Amino acid sequence: MGSRLRDMIRAVRACKTAAEERGVIAKESANLRTAFKEEDQDYRHRNVAKLMFIHMLGYPTHFGQMECLKLIASPGFPEKRIGYLGLMLLLDERQEVLMLVTNSLKNDLNHANQFIAGLALCALGNICTAEMARDLAPEVEKLLHNNNSYIRKKAALCSVRIVRKVPDLVENLISSATSLLSDKHHGVLIAGIKLCTELCEANFSALEHFRKQTSSLVRILKNLVISGYAPEYDVGGITDPFLQIRVLRLLRLVGRGDADSSDIMSDILAQVATNTESNKNAGNAILYECVLTIMAIEAIGGLRVLAINILGRFLGNRDNNIRYVALNTLIKVVAVDTQAVQRHRTTIVECVKDSDISIRRRALELVCALVNESNVKTLTKELLEYLKVSDPEFKPDLTTKICYLVQKFFPNKRWYIDQMIKVMVEAGRFVKDDISRALLLLISNAAELQGYTVRSLYNAFQKWDGQESLAQVTVWCIGEYGEMLVHHMNELDGEEPVTQVTEADTVDVLELVLKDFRASSTTRAFALTALLKVSSRFPSCTERIKALVLQYKGSLVLELQQRSIEFTSILSKHENIKASLVEKMPVLDEATYIAKKVDAADVAFSTDSKSVPATVLPAVPVANGPTKSKSGTNALMDLLNLNVDEASTPSAPQTRKSAGDVLLDLLGGNSSFTSPLVASPVQGPSGGADALLDLLSIGNATSQTTSSPLSTLEPFPQRNPEAASQKPSNPVPDLLSQNTVSSQKDSYSSFTADFKKSSIPGAGFDLLGDLGIGSASSISTTGPVYPPIVAFQSSGLTVSFEFSKQSTNLPATVIHATYTNTSSNTYTDVIFQAAVPKFMQLQLEPASGNVLPANSSGTVTQVIRVNNSQHGQKSLVMRIRVSYKINGQEVLEQGQVNNFPPGL
Amino acid sequence: MIRFILLQNRQGKTRLAKYYIPLEDSEKQKLQYEVHRLVVNRDPKFTNFVEFRTHKVIYRRYAGLFFSMCVDITDNELAYLESIHLFVEILDHFFSNVCELDLVFNFHKVYLILDEFILAGELQETSKKAIIERMGELERQE
C-alpha cells in the first residue's frame, strides 16, 4: 500500500548521503513495482506521481510507463491529469508505447469537459509524433474554432507542433489560422500569431497569403500600443510585450522582400520605435525586436536611421544584457550599413575586453565583420594587446580571429609577417596548422623579406615557450634561409639590428627544438630536415649536425628514426650530391594553395555559423564538414612536411584516419606514397564521399590552372615547376626524370625511396579516372562547378548526387541523383523521398524507373531541384529516405546528407 | 522555440525539468549538469545569456534558484528573460510567497502551471490572472 507522496519526498530529503538516497529510492521503486503488478487501482495516480519525482532525481522509471497509459484511459479528471503529466515526463515521442495513446487522445480531444480536452491538447502539443500528428490533425483543427478561448489557444499551439512534425499539413491550417488573427483574447492571439509564423516559415504560399493580412497584424499592434493601462497584461507600463514581440516577428517575415507590406507596416514600426519606454527590460525587448524587423524589411532610410540609433543607445547602456543584444543585432546590421556600425567601433572594441564571455564572443565577431583594409592595423594592434591579457578559454577564438583578419586584410607582407610572429609568440599554441602553412607560403613567395623574416623569427624564438607553431615556422625558415640569418643578407630599412648570430647559434635553435619535451614528433621531424638542410651551408657545424641527427637513430617514432638513418647516410656517404640535394625549396605556389584554402575555409565557416540546423539539441556530431576541412589541412601539412608518418607506416593510417585522409594524402603527396594504399580507399565504400570531394577540388584546380597544383607544393628540391606545368597530365615521370641520378642510389633519402614505388606514370590521375570524375573538363562552365558526392550509402544501395547551377540563379541547384544497387537482389518499387530545412524549397521530378537491378547492372536517375533561400549563408542539408522491396519484403532506409559541397 | 526549461538550486538539484524535444534520459542528466555548471558561477553583473552548444541559455537567478531556458539562437533573449520573470510571479502568486520547498512538495502543480504557461515550446498565456484563475478551476476539478 505504501506511503504518501509527501512522505516519500520527506524521506528522500532526510537522506544525508547519496547512498542513503539510493537506498530509499530502491525501496520505493520496489514498492511501486509491486503496486503496479498488483494493478492497484486506487493509488495508481499517487504511485505515478511518486514515479515522476523519482524520475526527476535521475533514477530509472521506465517500468511505470504503461501505468501512465492506464491512467489516461481512466475516466476521472485527477487520474487523467497525472496520467498525461506522467506521459509527458516519463515518455517522449520516440517510444513505441506512445502509439497506444493515440486513441485515448482522440477521445479526450472530443471530450465535452473542456479541462479534459485541454489536457489532451497539452499532451499532444508537447510530445506528438508525426504519425499522431497526421491522425489527430482533423480533431485539432476543429478545436481551433471551439468557442472556448482556452481550447482555441491550446489548439493553436498544438497545430504549431503538428506543422513542425508534418509540414504537408500547412495548407489545411491556413484559413483557420487566419481566423485566429481576429480573436480578442490575448492568449489566442499570441498562439494564433505563432501558428501563422510557423506556417509562413514552412511554406511559401502561406507566406504569400499572410502578406495580405499585414493590415490586420498592424491593427493588433496598434491596439496594443495606443491602448491605455490594461492591468491584466501590463508589464512595467507596457501592454503585453510578449504579444507585441510576436506580432513584430511575424511582420518581419511578411515584410522581408515585399515592398507593399513593408510600406503598410512602416508607420506602426516607427511608432513602436519612438514611443516604447526603454527604461525597463520589457520595453527594450520590444525595441530589440522592432529594430530587427526594421532591418529585415524593405524599410525606408529614415526608419533605418531610427533603428540604428536605438542600437547605438543600447550599446551605451550600462546593462550587460542590453549591450549583448546590441552587439548581436549590429552583427546582422553590418552587412546592410557598415558605416553606421563603424561609428561605434571604439565601443565595440572595448566590449571585446569585457569580463563576460558572452559579450566578448559577440563583440569579437562584430569586430571581425568591421575590419577592412583601412583599419586593420589599428584593430589588430588592439586585439594583439588584448591577446596578452585575455583569459585562456578565450584565447583560441581570439587567436583564430586575429590570424584570419591578418591574412585577409594585410596591407603589406612585412606587416603580415610581423603580426603573425607576434601572435605566435603570444598564443602559438592556438595557431592552427593551416595558418602557419599559409605564413610559410607567403614567406616563400617574398624573396626580399626572407632574410628579415628569419632574423625576426630568430629574435622571437628567444622567447620561445613551447609554442608549436612558432617552433615549426622558425625551424623551417632556418632550414631554408639559415645563411641569411648568419650573414645578414637582404637587410631592410629600419630593421632592428641583430646581434651577431653564428652558425653554431643557429644550430642551437634546432637542437633546442629537437630536444625539448614539448615539441611534437612533427616538429622534431621539421627540425631534422632543417638540420640536413643547413648541413651543407654551415660547414663549421657539420660534425655537430651529424651527431645530432644520429641521436635519433633509435627513436621510437618510426618517422624520426627513418629520417635520422637516411639523413645520416646522406651526410656521411653522399657528400658529393648533398649540396644539390638540400638546395632551397622552389617557391611554393600561392594560387593553388589559396584555391584549396578557400575550399576548406568555406566549410569551416559554414560550420561556424551553425548553418546545419541541428534538429535536436545534443550537438549532433556535425557531420562531415569539419572532418573535411581538417583533412584538407592534414593534407597540406603532410605536403610540406615531406614524407609523412603515413608513408612510413602504411598500415597505420587506415585504422587511424578516414579513407578520405589517406586519399588526400595520396593525391596530395602525388608521388611520395606507395601504390598499394591507393587501392584500398577507392574500393572501400566508407568515407568515399569526402575523399571524392576533395579529390575533385584538386582535379578541378588542375584543369583550370593547367599546372599540377599539388606537385608544385611538393618539397622536392630539384623539381622544376615549369616542366611540370607544361605536361600537367603526367607529372610523375617528369619528377622522376629530374631525379634519375638520385633514384639510382639505393641508400638515398626516404622521399626518393617512396618516389620509386609510385613510378607508375600518372598514378594520381589514374585514380581520378577510376573514380569516374576525371572528366573535370567536361563539366559545363555555365555555372560554378561542384564535385559530385555520394549522398547515401548502405549495404546495398548507393545514392550519388551531381550538381549543376546557373550562375544567374545561385540559390537554385539542380541535383542529378543516381541510384545503384550493389546487392545481389533486385529492388522493386523503389521510392525516393527527401526533405530539406524550412528555408529551402525542394522539388522532386519523377524518377526514371522504380526497379533497381542487382549487382549494379543498372541505375535509376532522378532530378531534384532545390532552392536555398539563404544561399551564401547556409549550406544545403537534406534528409533522405528510400523505400524498396526485396522479394516483396518492404525495406526502408534513411539518412542525412551533410556532405554537400560548400557554396550550394 | 524553447528547447527545455530547468529549475535548479545552487547545489545543482533539479526542481523542475521540462523538455520540448526528445532526448535520452542520460542526455538530459548531462544537460542539467552542464547548464548548472554554466550558470552557477557567473557574476551577477554578467549577461543573463550564455551560449550553449548550438543554442543559448537564458537564465535568471531568484535567491538560490536558477531558472534556465534553452532557446534558439535567433530568439529574442530579452523577451524570454521577461517570461521567466512572469513565470516566477505566477508561482509566487499561486503559492503566496513561493520558496524552494513549495516547489519540491508540489512539483506536479508546478508542472501544471508550466503547462498553462508554455505549450509546445511556445508561450501560451501572458496574463498572470488568467493562469491563476485557471489553476483554481483545475484544483476544483480534483
Side-chain angles (χ1 to χ4, degrees), chain A residues 39 85 92 115 147 176 236 264 287 363 412 485 513 519 568 570 593 660 665 765 832:
Chain A
E39 294 287 326
L85 197 53
D92 65 51
F115 298 102
N147 48 22
S176 309
I264 301 174
L287 284 173
N412 57 61
L485 174 62
V513 172
T568 309
I570 295 172
Y593 179 79
D665 292 342
F765 287 84
F832 175 85

Side-chain angles (χ1 to χ4, degrees), chain A residues 304-590:
Chain A
R304 287 243 160 99
V305 173
L306 197 62
I308 287 178
N309 285 343
I310 292 176
L311 289 180
R313 239 165 44 218
F314 274 10
L315 208 54
N317 201 303
R318 287 228 308 282
D319 184 350
N320 271 336
N321 287 340
I322 308 294
R323 282 199 296 156
Y324 175 88
V325 296
L327 291 169
N328 215 354
T329 321
L330 285 170
I331 294 171
K332 291 171 194 150
V333 171
V334 86
V336 187
D337 192 348
T338 322
Q339 275 315 309
V341 187
Q342 289 284 9
R343 248 179 283 148
H344 303 293
R345 208 176 64 208
T346 4
T347 326
I348 297 165
V349 173
E350 280 310 303
C351 288
V352 178
K353 299 169 190 171
D354 200 278
S355 54
D356 184 352
I357 184 126
S358 297
I359 292 205
R360 284 203 301 265
R361 287 237 164 88
R362 294 286 122 223
L364 183 60
E365 204 165 300
L366 186 52
V367 166
C368 290
L370 279 180
V371 171
N372 55 32
E373 282 79 0
S374 62
N375 59 21
V376 64
K377 278 192 174 176
T378 44
L379 282 177
T380 311
K381 193 159 167 260
E382 287 268 1
L383 294 179
L384 273 172
E385 285 296 309
Y386 178 56
L387 184 63
K388 289 181 186 151
V389 292
S390 75
D391 48 339
E393 58 171 330
F394 194 51
K395 271 190 180 169
D397 265 5
L398 191 57
T399 312
T400 314
K401 288 274 162 48
I402 296 178
C403 294
Y404 164 75
L405 292 178
V406 171
Q407 273 185 356
K408 192 165 174 204
F409 297 109
F410 65 96
N412 57 61
K413 288 184 173 177
R414 183 173 168 181
W415 184 83
Y416 181 112
I417 292 167
D418 284 344
Q419 306 310 310
M420 288 308 295
I421 292 176
K422 280 185 203 158
V423 174
M424 288 192 299
V425 170
E426 286 307 328
R429 223 149 44 89
F430 309 113
V431 174
K432 299 211 179 75
D433 278 339
D434 56 333
I435 290 171
S436 43
R437 297 306 171 268
L439 177 62
L440 291 183
L441 181 84
L442 180 116
I443 297 170
S444 158
N445 279 287
E448 71 291 351
L449 288 174
Q450 285 161 355
Y452 168 73
T453 309
V454 71
R455 282 185 294 272
S456 308
L457 279 167
Y458 181 83
N459 282 343
F461 194 79
Q462 304 308 314
K463 286 180 248 164
W464 188 62
D465 190 24
Q467 301 96 322
E468 192 87 39
S469 56
L470 181 62
Q472 289 183 3
V473 174
T474 311
V475 163
W476 191 87
C477 287
I478 288 181
E480 293 300 323
Y481 318 115
E483 74 284 1
M484 298 189 179
L485 174 62
V486 179
H487 304 301
H488 291 269
M489 286 146 81
N490 293 354
E491 237 174 287
L492 298 181
D493 300 342
E495 186 181 327
E496 251 178 74
V498 198
T499 45
Q500 187 57 47
V501 181
T502 62
E503 293 179 351
D505 291 340
T506 317
V507 179
D508 279 348
V509 170
L510 299 178
E511 184 177 355
L512 182 66
V513 172
L514 206 54
K515 295 199 169 154
D516 196 286
F517 66 96
R518 290 165 296 194
S520 69
S521 54
T522 318
T523 313
R524 282 168 216 248
F526 267 66
L528 278 176
T529 312
L531 278 172
L532 175 70
K533 295 209 113 179
V534 294
S535 65
S536 67
R537 282 171 245 169
F538 296 169
S540 68
C541 296
T542 316
E543 284 313 311
R544 188 175 159 205
I545 290 173
K546 263 187 209 165
L548 275 173
V549 171
L550 199 61
Q551 281 174 10
Y552 278 82
K553 188 178 67 176
S555 170
L556 287 179
V557 184
L558 187 57
E559 168 63 20
L560 298 182
Q561 185 183 33
Q562 185 170 359
R563 276 181 200 228
S564 162
I565 293 172
E566 287 173 352
F567 291 176
T568 309
S569 102
I570 295 172
L571 288 169
S572 45
K573 296 189 201 145
H574 303 286
E575 282 295 339
N576 51 337
I577 57 154
K578 195 180 78 185
S580 56
L581 184 64
V582 299
E583 265 177 8
K584 228 188 254 176
M585 288 259 293
V587 172
L588 303 173
D589 184 22
E590 236 167 12

Side-chain angles (χ1 to χ4, degrees), chain A residues 159-179:
Chain A
S159 309
V160 170
R161 168 94 183 192
I162 290 174
V163 173
R164 278 183 196 150
K165 287 284 157 194
V166 192
D168 318 351
L169 294 171
V170 169
E171 306 283 336
N172 313 0
L173 286 165
I174 292 180
S175 70
S176 309
T178 317
S179 67

Side-chain angles (χ1 to χ4, degrees), chain A residues 58 81 94 115 126 150 153-154 164 232 240 246 249 281 288-289 320-321 356 358 362 617, chain B residues 23 29 42 45 47-49 51 55 74 76-77 82 116 120 122 124-127 134 142:
Chain A
R81 183 174 79 81
R94 288 163 311 177
F115 298 102
N126 284 339
Y150 175 69
K153 73 178 182 200
K154 278 194 156 48
R164 278 183 196 150
E232 203 173 321
D240 210 340
R246 275 280 149 80
R249 179 159 271 215
N281 180 46
Y288 172 39
E289 198 70 39
N320 271 336
N321 287 340
D356 184 352
S358 297
R362 294 286 122 223
L617 178 108
Chain B
L23 288 175
Q29 297 296 332
R42 278 175 66 87
K45 285 199 294 291
T47 53
N48 295 84
F49 323 128
E51 276 151 52
H55 295 75
T74 50
N76 186 328
E77 300 90 350
E82 199 59 45
E116 292 301 321
E122 301 295 343
Q124 179 189 177
E125 178 59 67
T126 53
S127 156
R134 169 61 48 171
E142 301 267 317

Side-chain angles (χ1 to χ4, degrees), chain A residues 227-236 238-240, chain B residues 126-129:
Chain A
S227 76
Y229 179 61
E232 203 173 321
Y233 295 100
D234 184 77
V235 178
I238 293 163
T239 311
D240 210 340
Chain B
T126 53
S127 156
K128 191 164 53 178
K129 187 167 147 254

Side-chain angles (χ1 to χ4, degrees), chain A residues 544-828:
Chain A
R544 188 175 159 205
I545 290 173
K546 263 187 209 165
L548 275 173
V549 171
L550 199 61
Q551 281 174 10
Y552 278 82
K553 188 178 67 176
S555 170
L556 287 179
V557 184
L558 187 57
E559 168 63 20
L560 298 182
Q561 185 183 33
Q562 185 170 359
R563 276 181 200 228
S564 162
I565 293 172
E566 287 173 352
F567 291 176
T568 309
S569 102
I570 295 172
L571 288 169
S572 45
K573 296 189 201 145
H574 303 286
E575 282 295 339
N576 51 337
I577 57 154
K578 195 180 78 185
S580 56
L581 184 64
V582 299
E583 265 177 8
K584 228 188 254 176
M585 288 259 293
V587 172
L588 303 173
D589 184 22
E590 236 167 12
T592 22
Y593 179 79
I594 288 165
K596 195 151 167 64
K597 202 180 66 183
V598 166
D599 233 30
D602 272 358
V603 177
F605 272 95
S606 65
T607 41
D608 263 4
S609 57
K610 284 149 192 142
S611 67
V612 182
T615 41
V616 284
L617 178 108
V620 186
V622 186
N624 294 318
T627 337
K628 208 156 52 198
S629 62
K630 193 162 168 259
S631 58
T633 334
N634 279 347
L636 280 173
M637 186 184 92
D638 295 346
L639 278 173
L640 288 170
N641 187 13
L642 304 180
N643 31 21
V644 209
D645 305 0
E646 275 86 331
S648 32
T649 52
S651 61
Q654 274 128 328
T655 51
R656 278 192 294 115
K657 291 187 157 194
S658 72
D661 276 352
V662 180
L663 264 182
L664 265 174
D665 292 342
L666 282 170
L667 259 201
N670 213 343
S671 46
S672 48
F673 292 86
T674 54
S675 32
L677 264 178
V678 180
S680 63
V682 180
Q683 284 153 8
S686 65
D690 274 7
L692 280 178
L693 197 68
D694 277 316
L695 280 173
L696 253 199
S697 63
I698 298 164
N700 286 342
T702 318
S703 63
Q704 281 153 17
T705 57
T706 61
S707 75
S708 159
L710 289 150
S711 52
T712 38
L713 269 173
E714 285 244 305
F716 298 105
Q718 289 108 327
R719 260 207 68 241
N720 174 3
E722 279 161 36
S725 59
Q726 282 156 11
K727 291 181 192 169
S729 59
N730 207 0
V732 179
D734 273 353
L735 288 167
L736 272 182
S737 65
Q738 285 153 33
N739 280 294
T740 35
V741 188
S742 46
S743 60
Q744 279 154 9
K745 315 252 178 188
D746 52 4
S747 58
Y748 203 53
S749 73
S750 70
F751 37 81
T752 0
D754 289 332
F755 225 36
K756 285 195 295 181
K757 289 180 206 155
S758 63
S759 52
I760 310 148
F765 287 84
D766 276 352
L767 182 58
L768 283 177
D770 281 350
L771 292 165
I773 43 171
S775 53
S777 55
S778 71
I779 295 172
S780 95
T781 50
T782 50
V785 181
Y786 297 95
I789 61 168
V790 176
F792 176 76
Q793 188 151 41
S794 69
S795 54
L797 185 74
T798 309
V799 180
S800 56
F801 283 174
E802 278 180 55
F803 309 93
S804 55
K805 199 187 252 297
Q806 293 294 326
S807 43
T808 50
N809 186 9
L810 282 173
T813 310
V814 181
I815 303 174
H816 297 270
T818 311
Y819 316 128
T820 328
N821 169 11
T822 51
S823 76
S824 52
N825 299 313
T826 302
Y827 294 171
T828 56

